[in-house]
Amino acid sequence: MRFSLSINGRIHHVDEDGQTPLLWVLRDTLKLTGTKYGCGVAQCGACTVHVDGQPMRSCSLALEAVSSAQIVTIEAVDGAETKAIQDAWVARDVPQCGFCQSGQVMSAVALLRAIPAPTDDDIDIAMSGNICRCATYNRIRAAIHDAAGRLGSGQS
Amino acid sequence: MIEASAPKRRFEMTRRKMILGGTLVGGAMVVGYTATHPMQVAGAIFQGGGPDPEPSAFGSFIRIAPDGWVTIVNKQQELGQGVHAGMAAMIAEELDADWDRVRVIDAHANFRAYGMQGPAGSNSIATNWDPMRNAGAAARAMFVAAAALRWGVPRKLIDVHNGVVSHPASKRSATFAELLADAARQTPPQQPALKQPKDYRLIGTDRVRRKDSLPKSTGAQIYAQDIQLPDMLVAMVAHSPRFGGRMAKFDPSDARKVKGVVDVFAIETGVAVVAESTFAARQGRDALRVEWDDSVAETRSTPELVRYYHETAARRTDLEPSDFHSKGKDAEVAFGPDAIEFAFDFPYLAHAPMETLDCVAQVSGWDVKIISGSHLATVDQVQAARAAATIPGRVDVEIVPAGGSFGRRGNLAADYLVECVRIAKRASGRPVKLIWTREDEMSSGLFRPMAHHRIWVELAPNGFPSRWRHHVVAQPLLPVGPNAQAVEGIAESPYLTAAEVIDGKIFSPNFPVPVAFWRSVGHSFNGMVMEHVVDQLARRVGRDPAAYRRAIYQRAGATRHLAVLDELCGKAAWGQPLEPGWAQGIAVHECFGTVVGQVAEVRLQDGRPVVRRVVAVVDCGIAVSPDQIAAQMESGIGFGLSAALYGAVTLRDGIVQETNFDTYPVVRMNEMPAIETYIIPSTNRPSGMGEPGVPPIAPAIANALLALTGSPTRSLPFLHGGAANAGFSNAGSANTSRI
Amino acid sequence: MRWRRSSGQSQRRRFGCLPILALVVVAIVLALAILLRPQPLPQAQSLPANHLRTEVVQLRPVAAFASIANPQARSIALFEEAGRVIQHPRCMNCHPRTDRPTQTDAMRPHMPWVTRGTDDAGAQTLRCATCHHDANFAASGVPGNPKWRLAPIEMAWQGKTLGQICRQILDPPRAHMNREQLLHHMTEDELVGWAWHPGGQRTPAPGTQAEFGALIKAWLDTGGKCPA
């Protein structure tokens, strides 16, 4: 079936089975490989994208379910929160192997958009759907606080 | 009595075949690397070359561009441990390059140019300390020589700093860029002078930072999973659900009907489905009909294996042990009634790196091109050549960063890579990307081995161990040689130094379940055993666990352990009472030359251990990159905590029960303790940091639980919510019992 | 220098050792070739289709309770039969007594760590809809339904006896519904209906939603009596 998808502000026409996970449409059809496959069962969060502004696991989203949605991937996520998060990630050398970090960044950006000054509990709730096997969690937490602080003081 | 059934023998042969190639080559490689020149030539022939590095006047590892930017070729795989920055820092320090104008690229596999390529045993910084510094210092000397010629001044009055060569007396200076052409014509000195540690400007400072944080924060970093090539096919393989099972019959008719499936065929490890896209390959594989021959497969369940281990340790099976450490002439004599007995059980563990196993291969005639997060690149090169029936010199292994490995990608059989080459051979020259699903990865074996430990200790009147009997049952990690990895960290323990009698025996059963290296290898359970036993001994003689350790370290002359312990007690405020319900636990363990001590603050909540804070102290010699040492400590603790709390791969009728993160849980954000890392200042050669942070966390928690409840821990993980037949603990409840 | 060792000049100097080494290499290669010689692989053939074995668990029909003369005992028996659905993991998992649902037939805590939030559909930053959508999704195995959410905390069933659950669902302040609405919820609600079509390898609730609804109706018609 043919579907028209709005991805990163552009309309893409893809001809795939409607039950194909969005993840593989992004990665294989559209070559947007920043979104990662880590578990395929919505356990690890490496495939997180924004669907109409909400973070969602693209491995668990059928193509036919998102054909009228606005999808944003790590390649095009932007705005003050994104810049603050990515700057903080680099400043703290958060990534190790880095494979989960696309998903971590997508979740963290969505967190800051929903809660501009998150507490540690807020971070636990928002980020516990994202696994990092290198266990960079403490630096992620610190970097989210850094980014929130910068946004709050208007330095972004 | 339980016996390994007769058909197993056939499998052993098969398994040996599988790994022998890699081991022979690995052995030759190690010899070739460490021996003198002729052997190195042999190694080079045997290992092949692969494409030669870009020629550079400054050697294989350093290229300097006309704009003065220094490009450092990282020969070791970057799999998260930050080695690319560490390797670059060692060169940049001696070169006195401007760190902000240093970039790092990954080498292709090439034994001739780079020697052995493969992080193992946390070796990267340790074994490359001299070669990298020499390379940097030689290049620096070439710039000094060029400047001395140009300015007509003695070399020894020339200074280099941040990529600028200067002669302070005459206030002349020139950048690397300005001197490049002249410097490239100089002869590199055979033995360049190296700096004294006190003169380091970069090493040991927080300026040594990762070079890959930006691409890894923006999704731009390319891993093997992300490779897209023209005409590329994606493959998945249906593997036997049981270890040692062989594919008997398969029916590809339904799989071929799936849109996008290009080909379905048998390979040595199962049935390959080749498709135009990953999802088509997956759907094609789901549609396959396969019958497996389990006649030589492992069909037992975990409780049966655990029972076999216990029977073996009790000498009730026909498996004969070998000595790994024996001291005192009456080592074999039975221990007296006063001997204190300890027993531990450890499960199989999966590595579960975030990036599952994957590889890209293209076979065109004699030439093979590999793109992979290749952990042991020079081994992978030989294994790829073997699979493609070509010579290693025709195999180009392009190393890309891996989304984690923890040892899984570093197996000598190179299982997933060989599989990819075999499929690519049938793809008429088209590149093939092999993807293993998470389920494939977790049920593929090469696990951290299961282990059973049984220990008897007799204490001298002074309260310290005088006789120590230690029996270990664990599958061997290598097909030949002593099962040394299973007992590393026991024989060299300072707790054994003063014992008059030591009887260390290792039983090495052979099952079809393949085992391999897992972050910290044998230390992953031996750290737990030694540290939890010593805590129990301390409590038995009424001593504070830290004071008891200190006394033993003093008697054993273990000065590095002592320094770590003292720093740890100070930083963690050891002995200061915590709030009610909380307790501290301590552990100090040496792993691959690095001594790590950790104090964990733990409480029990609904029977589950909760860790809120870990204080860690490390002596890893000269700290090349303090920030990355802290990062690896955090990583090791998080990784070890996942295994300690949840990690267990169990079998039911031979089939792996934990296949994804829902059944093989790992620590998430809400369970991660706060971590403080302190580094002992040192002028010793650096030792590794990728693994030594892992072993102490489990015993630190167990020792805290011992303090809280008086109950020792007899097996890991502390919690197991997976299969009911786990055999390791009662599902969902804390796994401790009174002595 | 180290990297000069591989230059052509230095290799020529050491040429004398090469024949012996070449012999060793050849021997090893031969040994490997014998050990690792290719073995024939099975050829494709026709095999019967994979069929999944599904065990259907039935509910006893309302008629089966007609023989119970005492109306109160019959009412209780009807509810106890319906209780096989109510206390099935497909239902209980989303009626937790904490902010965290459970999962699987073992009813272990939901992985990952999620909370109910203010509207029982997840925290603001980790909604149920992060993973669960309008339908079960075969590719990921993640279940879904348009109304996917937890039962309100007042409707917690976990840790309660069937009698306690019975009295709770008949108590409008806790059940948020009267008996008519309760019957409708049990017989018509599509999220309740998910329990019989849970997707993946999940065990469905016993019987069908219609049979379950009939039991509930008969139970209410007989006075809605509760077990002890």
Side-chain angles (χ1 to χ4, degrees):
Chain A
M1 263 194 72
R2 283 185 68 81
F3 293 90
S4 297
L5 292 179
S6 168
I7 295 170
N8 298 336
R10 274 187 56 205
I11 302 294
H12 296 264
H13 301 283
V14 299
D15 184 12
E16 304 278 351
D17 186 301
Q19 286 290 299
T20 307
L22 175 63
L23 170 66
W24 296 113
V25 176
L26 294 174
R27 289 184 55 81
D28 283 357
T29 312
L30 304 176
K31 318 291 185 204
L32 293 169
T33 56
T35 305
K36 306 298 185 197
Y37 164 80
C39 72
V41 297
Q43 281 289 330
C44 78
C47 67
T48 303
V49 298
H50 292 174
V51 179
D52 293 333
Q54 283 289 323
M56 289 193 187
R57 313 293 181 235
S58 61
C59 74
S60 187
L61 261 177
L63 171 58
E64 63 192 15
V66 290
S67 55
S68 59
Q70 298 287 324
I71 297 158
V72 175
T73 70
I74 183 73
E75 283 86 356
V77 64
D78 60 4
E81 294 87 1
T82 305
K83 172 125 184 38
I85 285 287
Q86 288 174 334
D87 285 353
W89 247 241
V90 173
R92 289 218 177 239
D93 270 354
V94 168
Q96 290 187 24
C97 90
F99 199 78
C100 72
Q101 299 295 347
S102 295
Q104 304 278 5
V105 166
M106 294 303 278
S107 290
V109 167
L111 165 63
L112 286 191
R113 286 179 182 168
I115 306 175
T119 63
D120 280 344
D121 282 348
D122 293 332
I123 293 173
D124 280 349
I125 289 171
M127 303 302 293
S128 65
N130 289 80
I131 289 174
C132 174
R133 281 294 276 155
C134 303
T136 61
Y137 300 116
N138 290 352
R139 289 179 186 224
I140 290 174
R141 184 190 301 282
I144 291 174
H145 285 310
D146 289 352
R150 261 188 56 186
L151 287 171
S153 63
Q155 290 172 8
S156 56
Chain B
M1 180 162 149
I2 303 157
E3 292 172 328
S5 54
K8 295 285 178 328
R9 203 167 289 278
R10 228 181 94 201
F11 181 82
E12 287 177 24
M13 279 303 295
T14 319
R15 180 166 175 262
R16 193 156 297 158
K17 273 188 211 172
M18 202 171 77
I19 300 177
L20 196 59
T23 307
L24 285 176
V25 167
M29 182 182 66
V30 172
V31 173
Y33 183 53
T34 53
T36 49
H37 295 179
M39 279 308 291
Q40 214 164 24
V41 175
I45 294 167
F46 198 52
Q47 288 281 307
D52 281 321
E54 197 176 294
S56 164
F58 306 102
S60 304
F61 298 106
I62 303 171
R63 300 173 200 165
I64 301 176
D67 62 2
W69 270 82
V70 176
T71 298
I72 289 173
V73 180
N74 171 32
K75 69 180 200 128
Q76 295 291 76
Q77 195 215 24
E78 175 57 48
L79 33 80
Q81 81 281 47
V83 69
H84 71 284
M87 300 283 275
M90 294 190 286
I91 289 177
E93 175 68 63
E94 293 291 346
L95 177 57
D96 278 311
D98 177 0
W99 181 248
D100 295 330
R101 286 160 66 83
V102 168
R103 67 170 73 88
V104 186
I105 60 168
D106 291 315
H108 290 226
N110 190 323
F111 188 91
R112 279 202 309 267
Y114 309 115
M116 178 189 172
Q117 288 169 263
S122 299
N123 70 346
S124 294
I125 298 295
T127 59
N128 290 297
W129 175 240
D130 287 339
M132 293 302 123
R133 287 187 306 150
N134 278 325
R140 180 189 192 272
M142 291 162 75
F143 278 101
V144 169
L149 269 177
R150 185 181 287 186
W151 300 329
V153 298
R155 293 180 187 185
K156 64 174 187 285
L157 296 179
I158 286 177
D159 190 26
V160 188
H161 187 34
N162 271 348
V164 177
V165 186
S166 61
H167 180 244
S170 64
K171 293 196 167 64
R172 274 179 294 197
S173 71
T175 63
F176 281 177
E178 289 161 348
L179 285 166
L180 184 60
D182 288 353
R185 282 192 293 272
Q186 303 299 317
T187 306
Q190 289 296 317
Q191 286 180 315
L194 296 173
K195 291 183 185 175
Q196 293 300 310
K198 66 177 169 52
D199 298 325
Y200 288 153
R201 294 168 167 146
L202 184 61
I203 283 176
T205 72
D206 280 335
R207 290 184 62 212
V208 185
R209 301 294 304 273
R210 299 188 72 100
K211 296 282 185 183
D212 59 1
S213 286
L214 183 62
K216 285 180 172 177
S217 303
T218 58
Q221 180 72 59
I222 297 294
Y223 302 85
Q225 190 187 85
D226 305 330
I227 301 293
Q228 304 281 353
L229 299 171
D231 283 336
M232 191 177 76
L233 295 166
V234 182
M236 285 200 191
V237 176
H239 296 116
S240 165
R242 290 188 172 86
F243 297 109
R246 290 183 159 272
M247 203 263 289
K249 303 172 183 171
F250 76 105
D251 181 346
S253 52
D254 285 351
R256 287 184 189 281
K257 288 178 199 150
V258 173
K259 187 187 157 202
V261 169
V262 173
D263 201 358
V264 181
F265 50 84
I267 58 170
E268 286 78 352
T269 47
V271 184
V273 178
V274 180
E276 300 285 357
S277 73
T278 315
F279 191 59
R282 161 80 194 277
Q283 285 184 302
R285 191 177 71 168
D286 288 349
L288 271 180
R289 298 174 204 166
V290 189
E291 280 181 18
W292 302 98
D293 171 8
D294 286 336
S295 57
V296 296
E298 178 59 68
T299 57
R300 285 175 289 183
S301 300
T302 293
E304 292 167 73
L305 297 182
V306 171
R307 207 152 54 236
Y308 176 75
Y309 277 38
H310 288 191
E311 295 285 316
T312 296
R315 309 298 291 265
R316 287 199 288 268
T317 66
D318 52 10
L319 190 63
E320 284 300 317
S322 56
D323 288 333
F324 68 85
H325 193 37
S326 186
K327 182 177 168 189
K329 62 180 183 294
D330 56 348
E332 287 285 342
V333 175
F335 277 36
D338 291 340
I340 312 157
E341 187 175 349
F342 306 88
F344 292 91
D345 285 302
F346 299 95
Y348 288 122
L349 292 176
H351 305 74
M354 284 312 300
E355 182 185 15
T356 61
L357 298 171
D358 48 21
C359 176
V360 175
Q362 185 171 18
V363 180
S364 327
W366 288 93
D367 290 311
V368 181
K369 163 85 183 174
I370 303 275
I371 307 174
S372 174
S374 181
H375 191 145
L376 304 176
T378 40
V379 174
D380 286 351
Q381 190 178 35
V382 175
Q383 291 288 28
R386 184 173 69 73
T390 185
I391 56 168
R394 301 296 285 267
V395 179
D396 175 13
V397 181
E398 181 179 340
I399 308 170
V400 292
S405 171
F406 314 118
R408 181 60 184 82
R409 285 175 175 268
N411 68 89
L412 296 175
D415 54 348
Y416 68 99
L417 183 132
V418 164
E419 193 169 71
C420 186
V421 172
R422 283 169 171 162
I423 297 167
K425 265 174 76 177
R426 307 259 311 244
S428 317
R430 291 175 74 175
V432 171
K433 175 160 68 178
L434 174 72
I435 300 271
W436 284 23
T437 62
R438 175 61 60 198
E439 290 78 9
D440 294 338
E441 184 270 324
M442 280 201 190
S443 52
S444 67
L446 294 166
F447 300 130
R448 195 286 303 271
M450 262 178 70
H452 174 63
H453 286 245
R454 198 161 276 271
I455 300 123
W456 295 262
V457 182
E458 283 183 12
L459 298 178
N462 62 11
F464 297 114
S466 62
R467 288 157 62 90
W468 189 294
R469 170 170 290 171
H470 200 133
H471 291 180
V472 183
V473 188
Q475 283 171 264
L477 287 155
L478 296 173
V480 289
N483 190 357
Q485 290 78 21
V487 295
E488 58 192 3
I490 299 175
E492 62 272 31
S493 168
Y495 307 136
L496 268 58
T497 307
E500 293 151 20
V501 176
I502 299 169
D503 169 28
K505 286 193 166 52
I506 171 83
F507 299 79
S508 306
N510 244 320
F511 296 150
V513 185
V515 295
F517 309 106
W518 184 96
R519 197 174 187 179
S520 78
V521 198
H523 295 283
S524 67
F525 37 65
N526 295 333
M528 170 72 183
V529 169
M530 301 309 286
E531 287 304 304
H532 198 39
V533 164
V534 83
D535 233 60
Q536 292 177 63
L537 293 177
R539 285 171 198 281
R540 183 169 281 257
V541 298
R543 304 277 303 267
D544 170 75
Y548 187 71
R549 283 176 174 81
R550 184 174 294 113
I552 294 183
Y553 297 157
Q554 280 165 345
R555 289 156 54 89
T559 52
R560 294 175 69 214
H561 287 70
L562 206 52
V564 166
L565 179 72
D566 286 341
E567 178 77 358
L568 183 60
C569 288
K571 296 295 187 193
W574 176 259
Q576 299 291 315
L578 302 176
E579 303 92 305
W582 290 92
Q584 287 179 318
I586 192 169
V588 181
H589 188 76
E590 179 176 351
C591 169
F592 305 136
T594 294
V595 182
V596 174
Q598 292 170 4
V599 167
E601 294 180 8
V602 184
R603 72 165 165 159
L604 274 173
Q605 185 178 28
D606 305 327
R608 301 163 62 92
V610 174
V611 187
R612 70 172 176 192
R613 175 173 178 245
V614 179
V615 178
V617 174
V618 55
D619 175 358
C620 57
I622 291 171
V624 173
S625 172
D627 185 62
Q628 284 305 303
I629 287 167
Q632 283 312 298
M633 185 66 81
E634 294 155 22
S635 178
I637 289 170
F639 194 83
L641 182 60
S642 289
L645 289 179
Y646 302 116
V649 171
T650 62
L651 305 181
R652 183 184 290 168
D653 301 330
I655 295 176
V656 169
Q657 298 298 299
E658 293 78 11
T659 57
N660 212 316
F661 293 116
D662 50 348
T663 43
Y664 190 81
V666 297
V667 163
R668 294 169 182 267
M669 175 66 82
N670 56 308
E671 297 165 302
M672 188 70 185
I675 294 170
E676 296 161 36
T677 303
Y678 301 94
I679 302 169
I680 301 272
S682 172
T683 52
N684 293 329
R685 295 170 63 88
S687 50
M689 199 54 224
E691 300 167 270
V694 177
I697 186 63
I701 298 168
N703 292 339
L705 293 177
L706 182 67
L708 272 176
T709 66
S711 301
T713 301
R714 297 200 46 193
S715 68
L716 290 179
F718 292 109
L719 303 160
H720 189 254
N725 69 344
F728 283 100
S729 69
N730 301 319
S733 64
N735 162 39
T736 54
S737 61
R738 296 215 162 258
I739 303 177
Chain C
M1 276 317 299
R2 216 184 155 71
W3 59 82
R4 292 282 159 119
R5 279 177 191 162
S6 59
S7 72
Q9 202 175 9
S10 53
Q11 271 189 20
R12 269 198 300 281
R13 246 193 297 126
R14 287 185 225 105
F15 192 74
C17 300
L18 280 183
I20 301 162
L21 294 163
L23 266 178
V24 173
V25 170
V26 166
I28 294 173
V29 167
L30 269 177
L32 282 178
I34 293 165
L35 271 173
L36 308 167
R37 67 188 178 283
Q39 295 178 347
L41 294 168
Q43 294 299 305
Q45 57 187 289
S46 216
L47 291 175
N50 307 319
H51 46 86
L52 289 171
R53 208 158 36 92
T54 47
E55 284 176 38
V56 180
V57 180
Q58 306 285 356
L59 281 175
R60 289 167 67 199
V62 173
F65 298 86
S67 59
I68 305 176
N70 180 339
Q72 181 158 341
R74 187 160 77 242
S75 188
I76 289 173
L78 283 163
F79 188 77
E80 282 174 340
E81 184 64 10
R84 291 174 55 210
V85 171
I86 289 168
Q87 292 191 302
H88 192 274
R90 291 294 81 68
C91 300
M92 295 291 276
N93 276 333
C94 294
H95 282 262
R97 59 180 152 168
T98 66
D99 284 346
R100 203 178 162 190
T102 53
Q103 272 181 327
T104 77
D105 286 357
M107 295 181 58
R108 61 157 171 74
H110 188 282
M111 196 71 70
W113 186 70
V114 295
T115 53
R116 65 169 68 241
T118 52
D119 64 350
D120 299 312
Q124 184 188 7
T125 51
L126 191 56
R127 307 288 296 161
C128 297
T130 308
C131 310
H132 299 274
H133 307 292
D134 286 354
N136 298 332
F137 189 40
S140 66
V142 175
N145 185 276
K147 297 168 75 174
W148 195 266
R149 65 180 59 223
L150 291 185
I153 189 83
E154 307 84 57
M155 295 189 198
W157 289 352
Q158 291 188 13
K160 293 189 171 146
T161 66
L162 190 60
Q164 286 169 330
I165 293 171
C166 181
R167 286 181 284 281
Q168 179 175 312
I169 64 178
L170 289 172
D171 180 22
R174 285 187 289 165
H176 295 281
M177 51 186 97
N178 60 30
R179 292 190 179 205
E180 196 180 323
Q181 290 164 324
L182 176 66
L183 179 62
H184 184 265
H185 176 72
M186 296 300 207
T187 49
E188 306 286 336
D189 186 87
E190 64 176 314
L191 183 55
V192 173
W194 172 88
W196 287 274
H197 307 282
Q201 292 170 1
R202 292 172 200 85
T203 323
T208 66
Q209 188 172 17
E211 290 164 6
F212 173 65
L215 284 168
I216 293 291
K217 182 169 189 307
W219 164 64
L220 290 170
D221 289 347
T222 52
K225 301 297 180 204
C226 288

